[in-house]
Amino acid sequence: MNLSIIGSSRIVEEHIKAAKKLNINIKYIYSSKVNSKNLSKLSDKYKLKKILDFEKFCELVKKEKSNILIAGRIQDNQFYIEKFLKNKNKIFIEKPVFNDSVKFKKYLKFNSKFFVGFNRIFYKNVKYLVNNNSVNLKNLEISCICPEKNNERIITNTSHVISIFFYLFKNLKILNKNKFGDRIFVRLKANNNTYINLIILYNAMSNFEIYMYSKKFKMEFKTLELLKIYSHLEKKIVRNNNFYKLIEKKKIDEFSDSFVKPGIYNQMKEFKEFCSKRKKILNDMNFAYKVVKLTELIS
């Protein structure tokens, strides 16, 4: 499998490490930034052929029938998509693709061509919740804290959380929304009679946190990279007072065995299968459209 890359940011290096581990042949790398130091650094470090002229890059990609990874600036994505849309091979593009949901509509008919990089849905902990029959994702009450800097970051960053909820529950509907000063509260309804309280706090002293409650368990993400599942309460009496301790059943830490940014390796593995087997995926252009559309309504 051939892959050519647009971009030279830190996330690009994570993609390169994952691709090499999976024996993906990286043909060329290009950056729109003139005299990019990162481009030269990545080219030297990983022995990649850097291309400085974009038209030459396009010619080589077409000649080599290479798949494309687009991980540049969001404002350039439409230009790149137009350039490679008619190529036969697949396009891996970093989320959120666009900041404006209207821009997606032109490309939804090419849905099967795109693989959108929502790496959090490839976390081991998220996959565990979907694939483990002992976890019942029905009738949940969920509370989610999202600290953000501004409205724009809701689309570029809170979209990670929204992508997880779409992955787990397929559909999300806003029941009500309240915005006051530096806080936004949104009540969402998901499938299976599950409800989500999404609280966005501007410049809050907090990590992203998700708490899921049911009659049989409590699950918590203290940061999205650490999942703990509690199965029951243990009662203790101290000085004639009742205290209840949560008993931990399962713990999944994304950083425990990852050589790259969490989710990136499994994401690239899925992309490789998507290219070779024409496998149907969830994180296509329509998925990205739904995520961005909802974040627009939230912000």
Side-chain angles (χ1 to χ4, degrees):
M1 173 182 161
N2 292 335
L3 182 67
S4 296
I5 299 171
I6 295 173
S8 58
S9 63
R10 286 185 299 171
I11 194 65
V12 168
E13 183 166 15
E14 299 300 299
H15 288 309
I16 291 170
K17 288 189 286 187
K20 284 190 166 290
K21 186 76 172 179
L22 289 161
N23 296 315
I24 294 172
N25 182 26
I26 302 176
K27 298 296 296 184
Y28 310 107
I29 184 169
Y30 165 83
S31 174
S32 61
K33 187 177 181 180
V34 179
N35 300 321
S36 170
K37 292 181 180 179
N38 283 344
L39 179 65
S40 296
K41 176 185 172 184
L42 292 174
S43 175
D44 294 341
K45 184 175 181 179
Y46 296 100
K47 296 179 173 56
L48 307 178
K49 188 171 182 180
K50 66 179 179 181
I51 307 298
L52 302 180
D53 180 77
F54 181 66
E55 292 305 321
K56 181 180 178 182
F57 176 82
C58 293
E59 290 173 11
L60 291 169
V61 164
K62 187 174 182 179
K63 180 181 178 181
E64 297 286 350
K65 298 179 180 179
S66 176
N67 299 297
I68 295 290
L69 167 61
I70 301 174
R73 301 179 304 177
I74 293 175
Q75 59 264 38
D76 296 334
N77 281 346
Q78 190 162 17
F79 170 77
Y80 292 135
I81 287 172
E82 290 290 340
K83 278 289 184 179
F84 298 108
L85 194 59
K86 294 181 181 179
N87 287 18
K88 291 183 178 181
N89 287 15
K90 301 293 188 179
I91 297 173
F92 180 155
I93 185 165
E94 269 294 344
K95 66 86 191 170
V97 184
F98 303 122
N99 285 334
D100 181 354
S101 64
V102 173
K103 291 182 178 180
F104 283 90
K105 293 185 177 180
K106 180 179 178 180
Y107 305 106
L108 294 180
K109 61 184 177 182
F110 304 103
N111 198 41
S112 61
K113 188 177 182 66
F114 293 95
F115 182 102
V116 183
F118 286 99
N119 65 295
R120 264 71 171 184
I121 68 173
F122 293 94
Y123 277 12
K124 293 175 294 182
N125 54 31
V126 175
K127 293 289 187 182
Y128 177 84
L129 297 184
V130 171
N131 298 326
N132 195 296
N133 291 331
S134 66
V135 178
N136 189 342
L137 295 176
K138 296 179 180 179
N139 302 307
L140 299 180
E141 187 67 35
I142 299 175
S143 179
C144 177
I145 305 293
C146 300
E148 287 299 2
K149 292 182 179 179
N150 50 48
N151 270 11
E152 184 179 351
R153 291 284 290 174
I154 295 175
I155 293 177
T156 59
N157 200 40
T158 297
S159 56
H160 278 303
V161 172
I162 300 301
S163 72
I164 291 173
F165 289 145
F166 267 119
Y167 182 73
L168 294 178
F169 305 111
K170 311 307 178 195
N171 291 298
L172 299 170
K173 178 183 178 182
I174 295 178
L175 297 180
N176 60 65
K177 168 187 166 183
N178 292 295
K179 187 173 183 179
F180 15 66
D182 55 0
R183 289 163 289 167
I184 300 175
F185 173 86
V186 182
R187 178 77 166 167
L188 300 163
K189 183 178 181 181
N191 282 353
N192 302 321
N193 201 35
T194 287
Y195 293 86
I196 303 167
N197 291 328
L198 182 70
I199 304 168
I200 296 172
L201 302 172
Y202 292 106
N203 298 306
M205 192 181 296
S206 176
N207 291 312
F208 278 80
E209 298 177 3
I210 302 174
Y211 301 91
M212 301 183 180
Y213 303 93
S214 79
K215 292 181 179 179
K216 295 184 178 180
F217 60 77
K218 174 189 174 184
M219 297 187 293
E220 65 178 27
F221 291 81
K222 285 289 191 77
T223 78
L224 300 182
E225 289 72 36
L226 180 61
L227 169 65
K228 291 184 179 181
I229 301 177
Y230 301 95
S231 57
H232 63 281
L233 292 167
E234 185 178 89
K235 181 179 177 180
K236 289 186 177 182
I237 300 176
V238 180
R239 296 179 184 177
N240 209 28
N241 291 301
N242 293 336
F243 290 90
Y244 295 89
K245 179 182 178 182
L246 284 166
I247 303 304
E248 187 179 299
K249 176 185 177 182
K250 183 79 174 178
K251 178 180 177 181
I252 304 176
D253 183 353
E254 295 300 314
F255 289 105
S256 61
D257 60 354
S258 181
F259 68 98
V260 291
K261 185 180 175 70
I264 293 292
Y265 176 79
N266 287 336
Q267 181 178 246
M268 186 61 73
K269 184 178 179 181
E270 183 89 353
F271 179 64
K272 184 178 181 180
E273 292 179 6
F274 173 62
C275 293
S276 61
K277 300 178 182 179
R278 306 302 173 187
K279 178 181 178 181
K280 185 173 175 58
I281 56 167
L282 177 69
N283 54 308
D284 54 20
M285 192 66 91
N286 187 59
F287 180 84
Y289 167 71
K290 290 198 299 182
V291 171
V292 171
K293 181 66 176 177
L294 187 63
T295 57
E296 284 178 335
L297 294 174
I298 289 171
S299 60

